[in-house]
Amino acid sequence: MAQVGESEATAGGILAEAKRRRSFAVISHPDAGKSTLTEALALHAEVIDSAGAVHGKSGRRGVTSDWMEMEQQRGISVSSAVLQFTYKDAVVNLLDTPGHGDFSEDTYRVLAAVDAAVMLLDAAKGLEPQTLKLFDVCRSRKIPVITFVNKWDRPGREPLELLDEVEQTIGLRPMPVTWPLGVAGALRGLIEVGTGEFTRFTRAAGGATRATAEPVAADVIAAEEPEFWTTAQDEIALLEEIGAQFDEKDFLSGRATPVLFGAALSNIGVARLLDALVELAPPPAEREDAEGRPRALDAPLSGLIFKVQAGMDRAHRDRMAFLRINSGRFERGMVLTHAATGKPFATKYAQSVFGNQRTTVEEAYPGDVVGLVNANALRPGDTLYAAEPVQYPAIPSFAPEHFSVARCKDAGKTKQFRRGIEQLDGEGVIQVLRSDRRGDQAPVLAAVGPLQFDVVAARMASEFSAPITLEHLPYQIARVTDEAGEEALARQSECEVLTRSDGVKLAVFSNKWRMDVVIRKFPDVRFDPLLAGTVTD
Ligand code: G4P
């Protein structure tokens, strides 16, 4: 029964389908234009889940799904979904990363399910903090990154200065694919660096945002815009001299990034970005299992749960797990095995989810994402497989930077309280830390971003009928330690040791200064650093 579909799908068919896939996420700082770009990409493509999939915020957006009241009140998106579309012969999966100014581990986990990322920069701002954090994750996961410099229709910085910032700050060598003609705010069009071809973008007068694109011969545009043309040619010549030509190996190994310029809002450079994704970004590759053995793409079905989301459908209170397919052909109805428990998992209710839209998924291939309903037993990092057992490495958890003690408001609801905390911990919504001193009734919740506390409080009240109070703890930084650390810190102020539910002991400190003092005091004790955006264990 587990092999449904395998017989029909020839190995060649699976490999050909996998090769067409491009699965990526956009990493950016809030307001850089991620939603605008997502919409612009979708408009260029044939959105597979078509009707009304792109709509929303201010009547325009909502590419991300709004599933909690809290989100709606704040006009932010806490959840992620996947936009799938075909472009030319490719099947593109754009995995949404939560778009608010906060961090959650969800954002990071999404990056466990992509094969490439688009780093979106605001032309006036360059690299911003959230982009840097997400880039660190891409680097640690060896995800190739394409850079898109957005908002070139507005006054911004010099292109060479921006590229220099990328190289100096994150050590990623920029390889421009297109080059702007005209300064930011007075963009005339884009030059294709490889061929010298020019595309003029013209925005119609009277407020139309979408620009029209038209190829213009080099000598014509050179005569029309002599100053801009000379500057651009000088800059391109300089780039050639310093060796900024495209190098596939450097791109795929994360040492260099193709760079494109544009303005998502005016639709400038967006088609070129899609072309670059299809031409340059890698299709799904064989993924290694926990023992480091690659699983062939045409092996029987296997995949990784990278995200679990509850409450998406208020009427049904369902829990959806998102499965990134790593091998084989998925066919709805297959019965898979949940590697963590060995139990069967039926996939009758497989869906694709984008915004408020859900469609039933009949089949899927490596690189695709399938939403599994009724997935109460599934956790982020879990493996599902058909036929041949496989276990993928767990998705690492990240260094928490915010801590609060949770307490049940109503003494009569301690059972619900315990169940809820356990459930949210299992889903990976929050990390749960405990110590003998604090007791089981007052676990410490730890998060990468503070918004997670609101999510926990809202869900504890609505889903588990156990409203909670949260007491902020003045800790900001955590290190991995052991029993010796626990002993050492017992008599120190502004720090303590807490045990995470996976057994890892975390020493938490009020600030870096205090931590440095303590570490110096106990030179023989283990205090392993946990950089934000890097693995903790
Ligand atoms: P985000 O998802 O990364 O947070 O960014 P979002 O797309 O919401 O864009 C943030 C703001 O930047 C929006 O303006 C959007 O219109 C604008 N923007 C995005 N791309 C471009 C671009 O290429 N050029 C220019 N000039 N602006 C761009 P807003 O006023 O905050 O929102 P709205 O009223 O337009 O919805």
Side-chain angles (χ1 to χ4, degrees):
M1 80 191 150
Q3 289 91 331
V4 178
E6 295 300 335
S7 53
E8 294 163 36
T10 62
I14 293 170
L15 292 178
E17 287 295 336
K19 213 170 151 195
R20 295 171 66 204
R21 265 46 184 189
R22 298 290 181 278
S23 300
F24 75 103
V26 176
I27 59 167
S28 63
H29 195 78
D31 268 348
K34 183 164 63 85
S35 317
T36 310
L37 179 68
T38 304
E39 183 183 3
L41 288 170
L43 287 174
H44 272 273
E46 191 187 322
V47 176
I48 290 172
D49 163 20
S50 54
V54 181
H55 59 87
K57 189 172 146 191
S58 336
R60 179 176 69 80
R61 274 179 283 163
V63 244
T64 46
S65 93
D66 289 329
W67 59 278
M68 282 179 80
E69 263 168 46
M70 195 183 79
E71 283 182 297
Q72 282 159 7
Q73 282 160 9
R74 296 188 185 190
I76 50 164
S77 166
V78 189
S79 50
S80 313
V82 183
L83 170 64
Q84 189 186 53
F85 56 84
T86 54
Y87 180 73
K88 299 188 173 166
D89 190 42
V91 176
V92 180
N93 292 302
L94 168 49
L95 278 63
D96 183 32
T97 47
H100 49 78
D102 192 26
F103 266 115
S104 74
E105 293 202 40
D106 260 359
T107 317
Y108 294 129
R109 291 190 194 114
V110 167
L111 294 173
V114 299
D115 302 310
V118 168
M119 180 164 77
L120 181 68
L121 305 181
D122 181 326
K125 297 187 176 151
L127 288 169
E128 296 179 84
Q130 189 151 330
T131 323
L132 288 173
K133 280 195 175 191
L134 292 166
F135 173 76
D136 274 347
V137 183
C138 290
R139 167 164 284 163
S140 70
R141 301 197 68 90
K142 299 195 171 63
I143 298 169
V145 172
I146 295 176
T147 302
F148 187 78
V149 185
N150 191 32
K151 305 198 187 181
W152 209 260
D153 57 333
R154 287 211 304 215
R157 291 160 60 181
E158 293 287 327
L160 285 174
E161 183 199 322
L162 278 165
L163 297 196
D164 196 46
E165 182 180 270
V166 168
E167 181 145 28
Q168 298 303 323
T169 313
I170 54 180
L172 194 61
R173 187 166 62 79
M175 307 180 292
V177 173
T178 56
W179 197 253
L181 181 75
V183 290
L187 178 70
R188 301 294 186 259
L190 296 170
I191 301 169
E192 185 70 28
V193 174
T195 62
E197 283 165 14
F198 177 73
T199 305
R200 184 189 349 238
F201 288 94
T202 316
R203 272 165 71 177
T209 48
R210 306 262 147 205
T212 52
E214 125 200 62
V216 177
D219 53 341
V220 174
I221 189 68
E224 272 178 36
E225 300 282 358
E227 268 182 45
F228 283 159
W229 185 257
T230 310
T231 306
Q233 293 307 322
D234 288 350
E235 286 167 340
I236 291 173
L238 180 75
L239 291 167
E240 256 171 48
E241 248 171 64
I242 59 172
Q245 289 89 343
F246 181 71
D247 180 314
E248 189 179 26
K249 225 170 79 206
D250 282 358
F251 165 52
L252 294 179
S253 63
R255 284 194 295 269
T257 178
V259 180
L260 296 98
F261 292 82
L265 189 62
S266 318
N267 198 25
I268 297 174
V270 175
R272 187 62 191 89
L273 175 63
L274 263 177
D275 286 331
L277 266 166
V278 170
E279 288 161 19
L280 309 178
E286 292 181 354
R287 293 221 168 184
E288 288 184 356
D289 67 12
E291 263 100 61
R293 287 176 307 228
R295 171 104 165 177
L297 290 169
D298 56 358
L301 188 100
S302 71
L304 180 74
I305 301 292
F306 65 95
K307 174 179 173 55
V308 175
Q309 190 164 307
M312 290 182 76
D313 182 345
R314 293 186 143 262
H316 297 98
R317 283 206 163 185
D318 57 356
R319 172 159 297 138
M320 186 172 290
F322 291 87
L323 176 75
R324 139 93 199 203
I325 295 177
N326 288 347
S327 72
R329 174 177 186 260
F330 174 87
E331 192 172 291
R332 190 167 68 87
M334 289 172 99
V335 177
L336 305 175
T337 303
H338 178 213
T341 57
K343 289 192 178 145
F345 185 88
T347 62
K348 199 157 83 188
Y349 303 106
Q351 298 187 327
S352 78
V353 179
F354 180 67
N356 300 325
Q357 301 288 312
R358 290 178 177 208
T359 31
T360 302
V361 169
E362 294 300 338
E363 60 166 27
Y365 292 93
D368 290 342
V369 170
V370 174
L372 301 169
V373 188
N374 291 337
N376 291 334
L378 304 181
R379 307 263 179 264
D382 281 359
T383 298
L384 291 178
Y385 63 81
E388 282 168 27
V390 61
Q391 172 89 56
Y392 290 107
I395 302 177
S397 52
F398 294 89
E401 291 170 19
H402 302 269
F403 303 84
S404 284
V405 178
R407 288 190 185 86
C408 186
K409 260 190 190 159
D410 178 347
K413 304 268 183 167
T414 47
K415 233 165 88 186
Q416 289 91 327
F417 173 78
R418 198 171 301 152
R419 199 163 52 84
I421 294 289
E422 194 181 308
Q423 177 70 43
L424 297 178
D425 184 15
E427 272 180 38
V429 174
I430 200 104
Q431 296 181 30
V432 179
L433 315 175
R434 291 192 167 82
S435 69
D436 290 346
R437 186 169 71 80
R438 291 187 177 274
D440 207 35
Q441 299 308 321
V444 174
L445 307 184
V448 181
L451 192 74
Q452 286 312 96
F453 296 124
D454 298 347
V455 174
V456 170
R459 289 191 55 191
M460 287 296 288
S462 66
E463 252 175 79
F464 300 97
S465 309
I468 58 169
T469 58
L470 286 163
E471 178 204 339
H472 171 75
L473 291 179
Y475 298 127
Q476 291 177 352
I477 193 162
R479 293 272 160 120
V480 173
T481 189
D482 50 23
E483 269 100 25
E486 204 165 15
E487 239 167 68
L489 264 56
R491 285 168 301 280
Q492 299 298 316
S493 62
E494 293 179 61
C495 58
E496 68 181 276
V497 172
L498 298 155
T499 306
R500 204 166 57 184
S501 48
D502 61 358
V504 173
K505 287 191 189 302
L506 294 183
V508 294
F509 302 89
S510 55
N511 55 48
K512 193 176 169 317
W513 177 82
R514 179 67 191 139
M515 180 181 77
D516 289 343
V517 170
V518 172
I519 289 180
R520 270 202 300 274
K521 203 164 179 169
F522 302 102
D524 300 330
V525 174
R526 170 185 177 209
F527 293 112
D528 292 345
L530 310 151
L531 295 173
T534 50
V535 301
T536 63
D537 40 17

